Amino acid sequence: MMYDLKITVQRSLYPWLISLLIFLVPIQAFSQVPAGAISAPTNINQNDCPCIFPDGRVMFKLEAPEADHVQIDLVGKVYDMQKNEEGMWSVTTDPQEAGFHYYSLVMDGYKVADPASESFYGMGRMASGIDIPEEGIDFYSPKDVPHGEIRSRSYFSNTSETWRDINIYTPPGYDENPQISYPVLYIQHGGGEDERGWAVQGKLNMILDNLIAEGKAVPMIVAIPDGHVSKPGVEAQGYNDAAMAVFREELFENVIPLVEEHYRVKAGAEHRALAGLSMGGGQTFYTGLRNPDIFKGGLGIFSTGLFGGIGRAEGSEFDPEEIIPGILTQSQSFNDKLDILYISVGEQDQRIEATKKLIETFRENGLEVEFASFPGGHEWQVWRKSLHDFAQKIFR
């Protein structure tokens, strides 16, 4: 097993730490799912905890008899676990919102992955994750429908001068129907994730498979690149112009040419769309609205912190006209070039008020925007719903 340690461990602590980690094993012989609860779908062993109660509370268990202090760090709250005489630690959390949440075990101050859970690349590192089902929501569940594929490949980027990874979703029937070409959605992850985010946590393939089977979405190819791009000699971080210029170069000179050369893509900007969540939403705002003639098929901006002041000087107002000249003063030109401009945010996300305010400004100045909000904070359940909604509106 691999464990993600948050801090550097002094050499003198190695023997102690190794002996401690030996006991970080999933509870099998000792753990049973409590009555009325279910094993989390993100568990490695479906007969173990973490266990989810109907009201959203989660029980965590861990066998670590040599540990002195064990906690669960989940959705910004730390819970102290209690140890019994057999060295079994457990805790039951407050009710949690439905959706996907990263979490960590905290072992005597060290953050590690829970060996009972699958690990995911999020928060800028490998972390445990728990997916709490939402009653009545199954649009991202596997169903008995034709399935597409997530295809992983590597390519050499002339921008970063490194080999990079990308995931490509091809719709059902792609290989069986070589005469058919498809529109392409380019979609970006958030700041703590990479090209695995939409393919794994986002369940993009299941969302598209189900929509296509229901006739609610046009069969499409989806390109999921890594949005973290560096360029030798360029200081490019966050939302500054340099970072956005490097991202644009990677997308326009490496990613799009790769997709259009190796996959059956329909020609023309009307068959090309761009979307992203959080950091990827900011990249979509910058790159998509500065190049609306490239992505006529549509732009999807999910939960970006850009509108709430991220990347701005403290106390300064977000000025869309400064970033996108003409967005307010020549809004009709954007309406003519884009089939859809879609913006969404979680209803409990701290970005929602700033986002709503910007939507009002856009509409007051004649810019056509479709806005949606969904229950939840800054997390994957909101972004899954955003993609589910946006995918039904593009390439029509």
Side-chain angles (χ1 to χ4, degrees):
M1 299 183 193
M2 295 183 64
Y3 300 90
D4 180 18
L5 299 182
K6 186 71 174 179
I7 62 177
T8 301
V9 181
Q10 296 180 2
R11 186 175 297 274
S12 62
L13 296 178
Y14 285 0
W16 173 84
L17 185 60
I18 291 172
S19 66
L20 177 62
L21 292 179
I22 289 173
F23 291 93
L24 292 183
V25 294
I27 311 309
Q28 296 177 1
F30 303 98
S31 176
Q32 295 181 350
V33 178
I38 63 170
S39 181
T42 34
N43 287 0
I44 292 174
N45 188 320
Q46 287 301 302
N47 295 317
D48 290 342
C49 288
C51 309
I52 304 169
F53 291 93
D55 63 357
R57 291 176 300 131
V58 181
M59 174 183 284
F60 292 91
K61 289 187 176 182
L62 182 78
E63 184 182 17
E66 295 190 9
D68 294 322
H69 190 206
V70 183
Q71 300 168 302
I72 292 291
D73 186 345
L74 172 67
V75 195
K77 183 171 182 177
V78 177
Y79 298 86
D80 291 321
M81 301 184 77
Q82 303 300 315
K83 182 169 66 171
N84 65 15
E85 294 179 354
E86 288 75 35
M88 195 74 62
W89 296 82
S90 65
V91 70
T92 299
T93 71
D94 299 330
Q96 302 296 310
E97 295 289 338
F100 183 94
H101 310 294
Y102 299 112
Y103 74 94
S104 298
L105 283 174
V106 187
M107 303 287 298
D108 295 336
Y110 296 97
K111 286 190 175 183
V112 300
D114 182 355
S117 170
E118 296 285 357
S119 293
F120 305 84
Y121 186 78
M123 302 192 296
R125 62 179 177 87
M126 295 302 296
S128 303
I130 184 166
D131 210 339
I132 300 177
E134 182 174 357
E135 185 177 358
I137 299 297
D138 67 350
F139 66 82
Y140 56 85
S141 300
K143 298 181 182 180
D144 186 15
V145 299
H147 293 288
E149 293 185 10
I150 296 284
R151 309 179 185 216
S152 299
R153 64 184 301 152
S154 298
Y155 68 96
F156 186 80
S157 166
N158 292 316
T159 298
S160 65
E161 299 180 9
T162 61
W163 285 91
R164 294 170 59 79
D165 296 321
I166 185 170
N167 285 315
I168 308 287
Y169 168 82
T170 53
Y174 180 85
D175 290 328
E176 293 76 15
N177 300 284
Q179 74 282 4
I180 299 178
S181 296
Y182 301 89
V184 184
L185 168 63
Y186 296 85
I187 195 164
Q188 298 301 135
H189 56 81
E193 291 126 0
D194 61 11
E195 75 284 348
R196 289 168 284 187
W198 276 110
V200 182
Q201 295 94 301
K203 298 184 179 292
L204 177 145
N205 56 326
M206 295 301 172
I207 294 172
L208 269 295
D209 287 347
N210 293 336
L211 285 175
I212 291 169
E214 295 166 2
K216 294 180 178 179
V218 172
M220 68 185 78
I221 293 170
V222 184
I224 316 169
D226 182 356
H228 297 291
V229 190
S230 61
K231 184 175 182 177
V234 177
E235 290 287 336
Q237 294 183 351
Y239 286 97
N240 63 31
D241 280 331
M244 292 301 167
V246 171
F247 171 78
R248 180 191 184 282
E249 180 181 322
E250 176 69 13
L251 182 63
F252 284 21
E253 298 186 17
N254 296 288
V255 174
I256 292 177
L258 170 78
V259 173
E260 295 188 348
E261 178 181 354
H262 293 283
Y263 297 88
R264 299 195 309 275
V265 173
K266 287 185 175 181
E270 68 272 22
H271 303 300
R272 194 184 296 122
L274 180 66
L277 68 91
S278 194
M279 178 189 78
Q283 291 170 330
T284 299
F285 185 87
Y286 268 83
T287 304
L289 287 170
R290 285 178 173 178
N291 302 274
D293 53 329
I294 303 297
F295 300 102
K296 182 173 175 54
L299 301 176
I301 299 166
F302 313 153
S303 305
T304 179
L306 182 65
F307 305 152
I310 290 180
R312 313 299 297 170
E314 185 175 353
S316 64
E317 289 285 332
F318 175 75
D319 183 357
E321 186 73 17
E322 177 186 350
I323 296 174
I324 313 294
I327 192 74
L328 302 180
T329 56
Q330 302 176 44
S331 58
Q332 189 57 45
S333 66
F334 290 85
N335 296 338
D336 294 340
K337 291 178 180 178
L338 293 171
D339 287 346
I340 179 174
L341 174 57
Y342 177 96
I343 298 176
S344 68
V345 68
E347 291 168 2
Q348 284 71 51
D349 194 321
Q350 62 181 359
R351 300 153 180 80
I352 189 167
E353 294 306 321
T355 302
K356 286 182 175 179
K357 180 179 178 181
L358 184 64
I359 296 297
E360 291 180 5
T361 299
F362 282 157
R363 289 175 172 169
E364 288 171 356
N365 287 273
L367 188 68
E368 297 173 1
V369 185
E370 291 205 28
F371 173 68
S373 62
F374 304 99
H378 199 67
E379 49 92 9
W380 274 106
Q381 195 74 344
V382 170
W383 305 326
R384 291 167 177 171
K385 291 179 179 179
S386 297
L387 173 62
H388 181 259
D389 192 25
F390 180 65
Q392 298 181 59
K393 302 175 185 296
I394 55 176
F395 307 134
R396 293 293 186 178

